[in-house]
């Protein structure tokens, strides 16, 4: 009886898992950029600018020159201020794309129902962060109920838009060669603030894909107890957001 010869792993075989991990992380980051940045710029950046313009028109002239709670001077339009708002929108787009990817496995029902529940949850949670009674925005802007409605509807629309964008980008065939990174490079150069978020996202994505190489996450996610727990958690977050928003609206109503 002879001993079997054990062939040591080649450098290529040892590097294969790292190569798979790097490619998976790169694909995830590309989706965040291509789906998140344009959606955030359009819906959050331009949408916020339009919302502030509408509120300026509906409010009295006494709000002109007053600094809003977000640090913008009401009634003043500048290129630098608009660009900063678009930059903020791009960053929010990347965060929103990542958040949607985490929430998506736990959404239930047909596509339209998933969009509705996503919009309602986002409107409640993000709306509760934007609407508050201790600032000046919702005490000076008229009508106050319209200001609240705008800053609840805007995150709801963003949630629907970012969900569609992420799904669309993931379904599309990725261009070959350098062309796959041409559009992401232009977007990052135009809005460099997202680089900080992308570095953090890369580390999280790499760690996540590394865990998936060891643990069968798809099998774990299919377990009824795990699925129920995650859905209860996300539903609880939405309910807490809705309660906080209702409380803020009640306080603003009393002030006005």
């Amino acid at each position: 009886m002879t001993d079997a010869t054990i062939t040591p792993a080649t450098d290529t075989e040892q590097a294969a898992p790292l190569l798979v991990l790097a490619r998976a992380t790169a694909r995830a980051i590309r989706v965040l950029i291509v789906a998140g940045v344009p959606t955030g710029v359009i819906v959050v950046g331009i949408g916020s600018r339009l919302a502030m313009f509408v509120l300026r028109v509906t409010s009295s002239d006494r709000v002109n020159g007053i600094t809003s709670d977000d640090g913008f001077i009401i009634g003043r339009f500048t290129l630098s201020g608009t660009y900063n708002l678009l930059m903020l929108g791009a960053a929010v787009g990347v965060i929103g794309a990542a958040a949607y990817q985490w929430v998506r496995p736990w959404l239930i029902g047909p596509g339209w129902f998933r969009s509705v529940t996503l919009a309602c949850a986002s409107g409640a949670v993000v709306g509760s962060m934007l609407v508050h009674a201790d600032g000046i925005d919702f005490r000076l802007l008229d009508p106050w109920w319209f200001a609240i409605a705008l800053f609840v509807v805007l995150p709801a629309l963003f949630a629907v838009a970012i969900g569609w964008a992420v799904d669309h980008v993931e379904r599309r065939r990725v261009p070959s060669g350098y062309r796959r990174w041409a559009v992401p490079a232009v977007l990052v150069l135009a809005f460099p603030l997202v680089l900080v978020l992308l570095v953090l996202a890369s580390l999280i994505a790499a760690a996540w894909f590394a865990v998936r190489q060891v643990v069968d996450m798809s099998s774990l996610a299919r377990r009824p107890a795990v699925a129920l727990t995650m859905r209860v958690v996300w539903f609880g977050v939405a309910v807490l957001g809705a309660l906080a928003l209702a409380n803020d609206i009640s306080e603003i109503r009393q002030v006005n």
Side-chain angles (χ1 to χ4, degrees):
M1 180 176 180
T2 59
D3 295 332
T5 302
I6 300 178
T7 304
T10 63
D11 293 340
T12 302
E13 292 173 337
Q14 291 177 345
L18 294 178
L19 184 60
V20 171
L21 180 62
R23 288 176 175 174
T25 302
R27 285 195 298 269
I29 296 303
R30 185 182 182 278
V31 171
L32 295 185
I33 299 172
V34 177
V37 173
T39 305
V41 168
I42 295 172
V43 180
V44 179
I46 298 178
S48 297
R49 175 58 77 184
L50 291 176
M52 288 188 287
F53 172 76
V54 171
L55 289 172
R56 166 61 195 90
V57 172
T58 59
S59 301
S60 63
D61 292 337
R62 65 190 177 95
V63 302
N64 280 339
I66 296 177
T67 303
S68 69
D69 295 332
D70 297 324
F72 294 96
I73 298 178
I74 299 175
R76 179 180 298 178
F77 176 85
T78 62
L79 291 178
S80 61
T82 300
Y83 176 72
N84 289 337
L85 194 58
L86 297 180
M87 181 86 77
L88 177 62
V92 172
V94 171
I95 296 173
Y100 171 73
Q101 289 179 322
W102 281 97
V103 174
R104 180 174 54 186
W106 317 111
L107 297 175
I108 60 175
W112 67 268
F113 184 77
R114 294 159 69 95
S115 296
V116 169
T117 54
L118 195 63
C120 292
S122 180
V125 174
V126 181
S128 67
M129 299 177 185
L130 299 176
V131 177
H132 44 81
D134 56 354
I136 65 172
D137 289 356
F138 300 97
R139 289 190 289 120
L140 295 180
L141 297 174
D142 295 321
W144 61 269
W145 57 266
F146 184 57
I148 292 175
L150 282 178
F151 287 100
V152 172
V153 170
L154 197 60
L157 291 176
F158 170 74
V160 176
I162 199 65
W164 177 87
V166 170
D167 292 341
H168 179 71
V169 172
E170 289 181 343
R171 286 195 301 264
R172 290 190 61 184
R173 189 176 69 87
V174 179
S176 59
Y178 72 91
R179 291 182 299 170
R180 74 179 60 188
W181 290 105
V183 171
V186 171
L187 292 174
V188 171
L189 288 174
F191 306 100
L193 178 62
V194 302
L195 273 174
V196 179
L197 296 174
L198 293 176
V199 171
L200 179 60
S202 299
L203 296 175
I204 296 175
W208 173 252
F209 290 128
V211 170
R212 288 180 57 180
Q213 290 181 350
V214 179
V215 181
D216 186 1
M217 301 301 295
S218 59
S219 176
L220 183 64
R222 285 194 296 268
R223 295 182 180 180
V226 174
L228 179 61
T229 300
M230 292 302 300
R231 284 167 180 153
V232 168
V233 169
W234 290 120
F235 180 74
V237 171
V239 170
L240 290 176
L243 293 175
L245 178 61
N247 182 66
D248 289 331
I249 294 175
S250 178
E251 292 182 9
I252 294 172
R253 184 177 181 180
Q254 293 176 3
V255 172
N256 290 275

